Structures are given as structure tokens and as C-alpha cells.
Amino acid sequence: LFLTLLALTSSKARTRRQSRNEEKRSHTTRPPITRPGLPWSIGPRGVWAYQHGGDATYGTHAIVDSEASRTAAIDAMNAWSVRRFYGSYGDLPTVSHPGRPNVGRWNKALHENGYSSQLLLGAPAHAFAGSEEDGCRDSLLRQISTRLLEFHDSFLVLSPSAPQNFDAVHLDVEVHAMNDVVTCDGVSYAAWDDADGAERARRFYSLHE
């Protein structure tokens, strides 16, 4: 009887260990290979792209410029399992900008290929209440109005479904990236490296406003 109980206990212990090991493997097992040259594929990714001119091949101005450049960018992202595109376009989406239709064509191409297109906005000073002239929070609100809401309105007139629209706004307000003094509504905020712990905490809490 003792030997039987010992054998059963050992068997249950082995079963538990095997179960734990299988659970660990389930969390660390790599997905199937889907791209030559990579040891494994990684789930749907997002990519950030910024406004650049000149010879910057993958700056947003260059990407949206023509059908060929839009197709090339989508092909490149498909190869890396990208499914979310966060784009910073400067004033390009504003109604008065001659390049605005290209942003709409880019969003439409993204949607047709199963991508989410999000407008990327934000600067450290946007965390603080203050005027547009100083680049503070009013500046962010103005950008949302002119680069998103008015942009959407201009396409809704043409199409109720508006595939040219953005899916969301992605705010990149990195208060820890302040390299210089920022003044908003007469209040000066030191560069991040010069601020103490309490001040740094207050800046993060200010984002809730």
C-alpha cells in the first residue's frame, strides 16, 4: 500500500510538473515563421512615421506623395506584419494645404489593405495649460480641430463612409522629453533633467487634465 501511494504521488507530481512546463512553453513558443529571414514572426505591429522632406524615403510627405510611393510603403509594412500606422503629417491634412487629398488617398489605401490609420500628435508642452502661440495645450486642441475634425468634414461631404478618414488620434505627449524650459500662461517649467521627483510626478498628473 505504501509503495502504491508513493507511486501515485510521484505520478501526480510528474503530471503537475509536465503541466507547468507545458504552460511555460505555451507562453514562450514562437509563432510560425511567416517571413523568410526571420527566426519567427511577431504579432501585428505598429509603426510611427514622421513628417520629413527631401530624401527621407519613409517620411510621411514622401509616402503619401504618389500612388507608387504609397504602394511601396504598404508592401514594406506587409513584409514586417505591420497593421497599425501612426502618422505625423504636419499641416498636410489641413483643408487649405494642397497635399491634403494625398493624405486621404493614403488613409484609403491603408484601410483597403486592412490597416488602422491613426493621426500622431503631441509635444511635451501640450501637457500644460496655455496658449497656442506658446505651443501649449491650446496648440494641441487647435491641431485636433484643423488636422482631424476639419479634415474628416472635408471628406464626409464626398462619401458617407469616408474611407479617407483617420481611425483615431494617437497622442505622443512625452513630458520626460523636455530638453528646454517651457513657459505656458506665464509659468515656466524646467527641463526634465533639471526637475525634481515631485515636479516630474506633477507633470505626469497634468496629463489627466
Side-chain angles (χ1 to χ4, degrees):
L1 178 61
F2 172 77
L3 292 177
T4 301
L5 289 175
L6 181 61
L8 288 173
T9 302
S10 299
S11 176
K12 290 180 179 178
R14 281 197 303 272
T15 301
R16 285 196 297 269
R17 284 197 300 271
Q18 289 172 354
S19 177
R20 285 196 297 267
N21 289 336
E22 287 173 1
E23 184 178 357
K24 289 179 181 178
R25 283 196 294 272
S26 71
H27 289 300
T28 58
T29 300
R30 304 298 184 184
I33 296 172
T34 59
R35 183 178 185 276
L38 289 180
W40 60 78
S41 67
I42 299 176
R45 294 167 161 175
V47 64
W48 292 17
Y50 294 88
Q51 168 194 356
H52 293 290
D55 298 327
T57 304
Y58 288 111
T60 50
H61 282 215
I63 289 174
V64 306
D65 187 55
S66 67
E67 183 176 355
S69 60
R70 294 190 289 270
T71 300
I74 288 175
D75 287 345
M77 292 190 295
N78 279 337
W80 289 94
S81 300
V82 173
R83 281 297 175 267
R84 299 182 305 279
F85 186 86
Y86 306 99
S88 173
Y89 304 88
D91 290 331
L92 203 60
T94 57
V95 175
S96 60
H97 199 291
R100 178 190 61 84
N102 282 338
V103 179
R105 295 183 184 105
W106 170 240
N107 283 344
K108 186 172 184 290
L110 287 172
H111 292 142
E112 289 173 347
N113 285 274
Y115 286 80
S116 167
S117 179
Q118 302 191 25
L119 179 63
L120 179 62
L121 298 175
H126 290 162
F128 310 116
S131 68
E132 180 180 354
E133 291 73 18
D134 291 332
C136 304
R137 192 174 302 151
D138 286 355
S139 174
L140 174 61
L141 297 177
R142 177 64 176 170
Q143 289 176 20
I144 292 173
S145 175
T146 58
R147 300 180 187 182
L148 180 78
L149 301 179
E150 292 178 9
F151 176 84
H152 283 192
D153 286 345
S154 68
F155 286 108
L156 284 171
V157 172
L158 303 175
S159 170
S161 61
Q164 301 93 339
N165 285 356
F166 293 103
D167 296 299
V169 173
H170 186 86
L171 296 181
D172 179 28
V173 183
E174 300 183 4
V175 291
H176 58 280
M178 283 177 55
N179 297 319
D180 300 301
V181 174
V182 170
T183 301
C184 292
D185 277 359
V187 179
S188 293
Y189 301 90
W192 181 260
D193 288 344
D194 298 327
D196 61 23
E199 172 58 24
R200 292 179 179 183
R202 280 194 294 272
R203 294 182 187 183
F204 281 115
Y205 283 121
S206 70
L207 296 175
H208 290 285
E209 298 178 8

